[in-house]
């Protein structure tokens, strides 16, 4: 079984992808302004092919973890946790790897079986399989709330965007027990150069692990 900390990290970081699975059913119940806002968020994400920056993760017990993320659509992303955390999450276009550097373990899932497939798709469509419960449009921020049930998460997702350019600023997962995990991103650069080596998964390490 994957290490608990790795699963927690994967849940909290992959939920950003779930904003890309907002359902048509939910959208039909929204006002014209709310529906247009979702369409604008969709347009923003389709305009971004590469992205990198910093993130801070706040756990339900008040613990704080930091790191850097890198994204290259279609198919590639990396979340690297700064010490003392030892986690490294990579999608290479085919698979998603969660490596615990402290325990020297690595768990791999097919990308197609994770919510990252929405975030990393070449063309993103907001009208998919989640349930939007609210879209709050304010002068500075847009907040989207949705319910989700997936392999990696079950609960309430709250996503916060900049109201001017629709850049994702923060998301919060409220799990089935009512615990919150929040991730804020900052120092974000969009459509800049990327290094392909950032997205390489060490499949041989996984093979050696399974043989032990």
């Amino acid at each position: 079984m994957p290490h608990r900390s790795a699963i927690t990290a994967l849940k909290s970081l992959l939920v950003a992808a779930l904003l890309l699975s907002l359902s048509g059913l939910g959208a039909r119940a929204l006002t014209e302004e709310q529906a247009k806002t979702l369409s604008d968020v969709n347009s923003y994400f389709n305009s971004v092919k590469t992205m990198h920056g910093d993130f801070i993760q706040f756990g339900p017990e008040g613990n704080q973890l930091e790191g850097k993320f890198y994204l290259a659509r279609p198919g590639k992303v990396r979340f690297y946790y700064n010490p003392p955390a030892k986690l490294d999450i990579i999608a290479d276009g085919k698979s998603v790897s969660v490596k615990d550097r402290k325990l020297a373990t690595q768990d791999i899932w097919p990308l197609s079986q994770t919510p990252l497939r929405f975030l990393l798709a070449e063309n993103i469509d907001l009208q998919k399989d989640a349930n939007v419960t609210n879209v709050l449009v304010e002068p500075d921020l847009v907040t989207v709330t949705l319910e989700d049930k997936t392999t990696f998460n079950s609960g309430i997702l709250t996503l916060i965007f900049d109201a001017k350019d629709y850049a994702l600023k923060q998301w919060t997962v409220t799990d089935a027990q009512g615990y919150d995990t929040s991730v804020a991103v900052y120092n974000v650069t969009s459509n800049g150069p990327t290094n392909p080596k950032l997205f390489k998964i060490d499949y041989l390490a996984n093979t050696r692990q399974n043989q032990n």
Side-chain angles (χ1 to χ4, degrees):
M1 290 290 291
H3 188 255
R4 183 177 180 181
S5 63
I7 290 293
T8 299
L10 191 60
K11 285 181 180 179
S12 62
L13 289 169
L14 295 194
V15 297
L18 293 168
L19 69 96
L20 306 167
S21 56
L22 309 182
S23 73
L25 178 62
R28 286 196 295 272
L30 300 175
T31 67
E32 182 177 348
E33 180 188 26
Q34 291 170 326
K36 181 181 185 303
T37 297
L38 292 183
S39 177
D40 289 340
V41 171
N42 180 65
S43 297
Y44 164 74
F45 271 96
N46 277 315
S47 73
V48 176
K49 300 303 181 183
T50 66
M51 183 186 295
H52 67 268
D54 300 293
F55 70 86
I56 302 178
Q57 177 179 311
F58 303 93
E61 298 178 355
N63 57 310
Q64 179 176 316
L65 300 173
E66 300 184 24
K68 295 185 178 297
F69 75 92
Y70 309 85
L71 180 149
R73 295 175 42 231
K76 299 177 176 66
V77 74
R78 182 168 189 170
F79 294 99
Y80 184 90
Y81 284 75
N82 297 337
K86 300 291 184 180
L87 292 175
D88 197 5
I89 298 174
I90 303 173
D92 66 355
K94 180 179 68 175
S95 303
V96 179
S97 162
V98 179
K99 179 182 290 186
D100 189 316
R101 302 189 302 274
K102 180 179 180 179
L103 299 179
T105 60
Q106 179 175 247
D107 299 291
I108 295 178
W109 293 271
L111 175 60
S112 62
Q113 295 180 18
T114 76
L116 275 176
R117 70 186 186 275
F118 297 111
L119 177 66
L120 301 179
E122 188 165 6
N123 293 298
I124 293 169
D125 184 357
L126 290 172
Q127 309 302 316
K128 293 292 183 182
D129 301 325
N131 181 28
V132 179
T133 60
N134 190 43
V135 177
L136 178 62
V137 182
E138 300 177 291
D140 297 327
L141 298 172
V142 173
T143 302
V144 177
T145 304
L146 56 108
E147 296 179 344
D148 170 60
K149 293 182 179 180
T150 73
T151 301
F152 294 96
N153 185 73
S154 180
I156 304 297
L157 311 179
T158 303
L159 303 128
I160 300 176
F161 306 89
D162 188 295
K164 295 181 179 179
D165 59 10
Y166 301 106
L168 181 64
K169 308 295 289 184
Q170 179 175 316
W171 61 90
T172 297
V173 186
T174 304
D175 66 20
Q177 289 73 45
Y179 294 107
D180 290 342
T181 298
S182 297
V183 177
V185 295
Y186 62 102
N187 294 336
V188 175
T189 298
S190 299
N191 292 324
T194 60
N195 183 351
K197 294 181 179 179
L198 291 169
F199 311 111
K200 291 187 178 295
I201 295 175
D202 185 355
Y203 289 98
L204 289 178
N206 194 255
T207 300
R208 291 192 295 269
Q209 172 185 304
N210 292 336
Q211 291 174 343
N212 294 334

